[in-house]
Amino acid sequence: MAPQSHQKDLLRFLTCGSTDDGKSTLIGRLLADSKMIYEDVLASLEADSETQGSAGSRVDLALLMDGLRAEREQGITIDVAYRCFSTARRTFIIADTPGHEQYTRNMATGASTCQLAVILIDARHGMLPQTKRHSYVASLLGIQHVVVAVNKMDLVDWSADRLAAICEDFRAFSKTLEFGEPYFLPTSALLGDNVVDAGDNLGWFDGPPLLEYLETVDVDAGVDLEHFRMPVQMVSRPNPDFRGFSGTVASGAIRPGDEVVAVPSGLGSTVERLVTFDGDLDVAGPGRAVTVTLADEIDISRGDMLVRRGDEPLRAHELDAMVVWMAEAEMEPGSSYLLQSANGISNCTIRSLRHRVDINTLGHEQALALGLNDIGRCVVASDRELLFDSYSNNRTTGSFVLVDRLSNATVAAGMIIGAASAWDHTPDAALVRQISEISDAERAIRFGQQPCTILLTGLTAAGKSTLATALERELFDRGRVSIRLDGENVRMGISRDLGFSAQERSENLRRVSEVARLVNGQGLIAIAALVAPNSEVRQRARDLVGVGRYVEVFVDTPIEVCRERDPHGIYAMADSGEIPQFPGVSAPYDRPAEADLRVDTSTQSVAECVAAIVSVLTDRGFLRGPSAP
């Protein structure tokens, strides 16, 4: 029979806060009062306390965690110290993290795997800059459960008013952080009040002591059991008859018989077995290391990911991410590193630094570089497409580290916000827009029209290009001047470097929209025919071109008709997984809710559709000359 501790829940938590707030002492007290220190270790602590301690005549319990010689000499925690202990209810792994600003990088490392943070505040000093920094880092790293331990209450005469004032300050600071409701706990780590037992000095406080709270807090409520993600760490071939894919389940749950898809290839199969050293499993959930065997022989490599069909991760070459800088050498835009994530290793460049975070105010400030322990928002560009989720949704697939190419040292920890987009890039401040000497009114007189952009959006084979071509002909015959930006033509030119992921489709529409805006500025009508499947991206195109000049036409041809028209078998390839992220099949197509016009080429002729578009253009005044003064 397995030991009882193996049957218990595991809680990983860290202690953090400013220097001398009592983090190491708190953990030492927690272990000592819960009888988790062996007698010989306790005897050694008593002896060390006489020569190296700072607790007067008492045993200096901080020495239990501060094991490095430099730590004991300086009286500060430098490295992250880990301790494991168990009670009747739960098993714990504690990370005691440094309080000094110089070692914020160590604190971030310790917090990266924790579910709960104990943030200590010296009752005498209240909120200090490093307390704020650690609180922000804990929030940034996705820790939802927070205990604010107001320590050294014995030095403020056990004052309830002092506790209330610190609670108010912390709430005001943390209102924009991603915490749940903090648990405020008055304590004295030195004397033991409210650590394991309530003690005799805080009778006015009716909450549970720290250990009781740690034993009962529900840290599994937010565990994602729906969105299955398993990065493949190794292809296992112990013999010619066995081929499995080993990894740790990052989120979701998987069972034999479930349908899964390997990304980025998009090839699917059925789970046959879930193999572990102790035997096959009926189900594997988050945190479980497992080897998955599939019913079909499909090509999967290390760095690929197993997911459920229709629930694929994000894909992009550029990431929008928060970065904690951990190196002495500054990070500057344009610098190159190795990026290591659940997706493997790739080459990357810091494309831009959007802002640096002011830890005291949580405000954003402009910066040219990030120094040691700075936190900033960056755009990171990879030389290959990355598979990821936002860090807020998945801490495993949403994180990465940056590694120096020469020293192989970790220089930064990154938390992914989402795919970066050229929509958000800001032109260089030195650039000045050049103004034409020809007015809009002069162009309207010359061309007899008002400029606009017409976006025809719909599924593949819906008839967008056919309508765009016919509309161009109709406008030409009416003496109007237009330019047609067909999706396939664009991809043979200005977008020939783009693929068909959601991120690349977004960039394709951005480029077309920029061209359309330039064309409109010359008084011409732009006709764009693109799938443009994402509603938010289409809205950005509308905003870029200008609401007054934008006409959205939804070519709402049923997908069954589109499939019948498909001469190249594209839909069949999408069905089989050969074409991943295909709108309407393996990726969503957001139907326009507020299109200016809806047409259906399965029930309307090309001439009828074009006439309807021309009618909208006429009604909005685009097909007439300058407005009357």
Side-chain angles (χ1 to χ4, degrees):
M1 180 176 178
Q4 183 182 4
S5 61
H6 291 178
Q7 313 297 323
K8 302 172 189 174
D9 291 336
L10 172 65
L11 172 63
R12 296 176 180 267
F13 72 94
L14 80 154
T15 59
C16 57
S18 191
T19 305
D20 292 331
D21 281 347
K23 298 176 293 298
S24 298
T25 302
L26 179 77
I27 296 176
R29 175 63 64 187
L30 187 65
L31 296 175
D33 287 5
S34 58
K35 311 302 181 186
M36 294 296 164
I37 302 179
Y38 290 115
E39 290 185 6
D40 59 334
V41 175
L42 188 58
S44 177
L45 282 178
E46 292 174 349
D48 289 344
S49 296
E50 294 180 5
T51 58
Q52 298 175 311
S54 58
S57 60
R58 297 184 179 88
V59 176
D60 188 353
L61 295 172
L63 297 177
L64 180 68
M65 303 301 291
D66 293 339
L68 298 178
R69 180 178 178 181
E71 293 177 325
R72 296 192 174 196
E73 290 176 349
Q74 298 179 52
I76 63 172
T77 300
I78 296 174
D79 201 3
V80 182
Y82 294 93
R83 288 291 185 274
C84 180
F85 74 100
S86 182
T87 68
R89 296 182 180 181
R90 186 171 262 172
T91 298
F92 302 92
I93 296 177
I94 316 170
D96 181 27
T97 64
H100 198 281
E101 180 179 352
Q102 179 182 353
Y103 304 110
T104 300
R105 52 187 170 180
N106 303 56
M107 179 267 168
T109 301
S112 62
T113 59
C114 289
Q115 302 150 288
L116 181 145
V118 179
I119 301 173
L120 274 82
I121 298 177
D122 189 322
R124 299 168 299 171
H125 305 145
M127 295 279 292
L128 296 175
Q130 193 65 348
T131 315
K132 297 177 180 179
R133 182 183 296 271
H134 282 182
S135 300
Y136 181 79
V137 172
S139 171
L140 189 64
L141 288 167
I143 296 177
Q144 296 294 311
H145 301 275
V146 172
V147 176
V148 178
V150 181
N151 193 28
K152 303 186 181 183
M153 289 293 293
D154 52 304
L155 301 182
V156 294
D157 295 327
W158 312 100
S159 170
D161 291 340
R162 183 57 182 154
L163 174 68
I166 292 175
C167 292
E168 183 178 351
D169 290 344
F170 189 89
R171 283 196 176 98
F173 170 77
S174 64
K175 61 184 178 181
T176 60
L177 300 182
E178 301 297 327
F179 290 147
E181 174 62 26
Y183 176 56
F184 293 98
L185 177 71
T187 185
S188 171
L190 182 66
L191 302 180
D193 291 77
N194 259 349
V195 180
V196 172
D197 302 308
D200 301 324
N201 301 296
L202 293 165
W204 48 266
F205 181 77
D206 58 3
L210 177 62
L211 181 59
E212 182 180 344
Y213 181 83
L214 295 176
E215 287 182 315
T216 56
V217 62
D218 183 8
V219 294
D220 295 324
V223 174
D224 183 0
L225 297 176
E226 180 180 357
H227 304 289
F228 175 65
R229 301 280 189 269
M230 194 191 89
V232 175
Q233 298 169 338
M234 183 180 71
V235 179
S236 177
R237 294 296 300 270
N239 60 65
D241 300 321
F242 184 94
R243 185 167 183 258
F245 308 101
S246 303
T248 300
V249 178
S251 64
I254 193 69
R255 297 172 175 80
D258 286 354
E259 297 287 333
V260 294
V261 174
V263 288
S265 70
L267 299 178
S269 186
T270 302
V271 175
E272 200 170 58
R273 297 172 59 193
L274 300 174
V275 182
T276 71
F277 179 80
D278 297 318
D280 286 14
L281 300 178
D282 294 327
V283 61
R288 186 69 197 230
V290 67
T291 297
V292 178
T293 67
L294 302 177
D296 304 288
E297 288 283 338
I298 61 175
D299 184 23
I300 301 177
S301 304
R302 180 179 181 180
D304 290 354
M305 194 181 300
L306 292 177
V307 302
R308 297 191 190 280
R309 185 177 294 280
D311 185 29
E312 287 84 0
L314 300 171
R315 305 158 67 125
H317 285 271
E318 292 192 357
L319 304 176
D320 181 9
M322 297 298 296
V323 167
V324 180
W325 194 249
M326 300 178 170
E328 297 284 350
E330 289 188 336
M331 183 280 285
E332 297 179 354
S335 303
S336 297
Y337 304 96
L338 295 177
L339 185 152
Q340 186 166 352
S341 68
N343 199 194
I345 299 176
S346 61
N347 299 306
C348 77
T349 302
I350 305 297
R351 180 66 57 82
S352 65
L353 171 58
R354 294 188 173 179
H355 62 252
R356 181 172 57 202
V357 177
D358 182 329
I359 295 301
N360 291 312
T361 65
L362 300 185
H364 301 162
E365 55 188 26
Q366 296 300 311
L368 299 177
L370 291 181
L372 177 64
N373 298 320
D374 278 346
I375 300 169
R377 185 168 179 173
C378 304
V379 173
V380 182
S382 169
D383 66 344
R384 68 185 180 93
E385 187 178 56
L386 300 175
L387 307 172
F388 59 91
D389 296 285
S390 65
Y391 188 82
S392 60
N393 290 333
N394 194 311
R395 292 171 71 177
T396 300
T397 59
S399 61
F400 62 87
V401 296
L402 299 181
V403 178
D404 184 271
R405 293 174 179 275
L406 298 179
S407 67
N408 206 36
T410 299
V411 296
M415 286 65 66
I416 301 172
I417 297 171
S421 171
W423 291 98
D424 300 314
H425 290 186
T426 303
D428 191 287
L431 297 175
V432 178
R433 188 176 298 278
Q434 300 301 305
I435 307 300
S436 174
E437 293 184 357
I438 304 171
S439 69
D440 291 344
E442 289 178 288
R443 296 183 194 278
I445 293 172
R446 171 66 59 88
F447 299 131
Q449 63 189 32
Q450 300 292 337
C452 67
T453 293
I454 304 143
L455 173 65
L456 293 102
T457 173
L459 295 173
T460 298
K464 301 182 297 298
S465 294
T466 301
L467 293 183
T469 302
L471 177 60
E472 180 187 34
R473 177 83 254 177
E474 176 66 21
L475 294 178
F476 183 82
D477 290 344
R478 288 171 173 252
R480 305 300 193 254
V481 184
S482 66
I483 181 172
R484 179 169 54 90
L485 301 169
D486 183 81
E488 290 198 45
N489 293 348
V490 167
R491 285 186 173 276
M492 295 172 69
I494 62 172
S495 293
R496 62 173 172 264
D497 60 319
L498 299 179
F500 293 90
S501 67
Q503 175 71 7
E504 289 166 306
R505 288 182 184 276
S506 172
E507 172 60 12
N508 186 47
L509 180 54
R510 188 194 68 82
R511 294 181 186 182
V512 169
S513 300
E514 291 283 8
V515 173
R517 183 170 69 166
L518 290 173
V519 167
N520 289 166
Q522 301 299 308
L524 308 185
I525 295 172
I527 306 168
L530 305 170
V531 175
N534 186 277
S535 59
E536 292 183 8
V537 177
R538 292 196 300 265
Q539 180 59 50
R540 301 199 76 160
R542 182 188 295 269
D543 295 339
L544 177 62
V545 170
V547 175
R549 288 183 170 180
Y550 184 89
V551 178
E552 187 171 275
V553 178
F554 178 25
V555 186
D556 188 16
T557 305
I559 191 171
E560 296 78 16
V561 177
C562 296
R563 286 178 176 275
E564 291 174 3
R565 290 176 177 173
D566 180 14
H568 303 297
I570 294 177
Y571 278 95
M573 288 189 284
D575 291 334
S576 66
E578 295 179 58
I579 301 179
Q581 290 190 293
F582 190 79
V585 179
S586 54
Y589 174 83
D590 299 335
R591 294 172 59 84
E594 299 180 358
D596 297 284
L597 177 67
R598 174 191 170 277
V599 295
D600 180 354
T601 60
S602 69
T603 59
Q604 296 171 272
S605 68
V606 172
E608 289 174 328
C609 293
V610 169
I613 298 172
V614 169
S615 177
V616 170
L617 298 179
T618 302
D619 290 344
R620 291 183 55 176
F622 295 122
L623 299 186
R624 66 169 184 260
S627 302

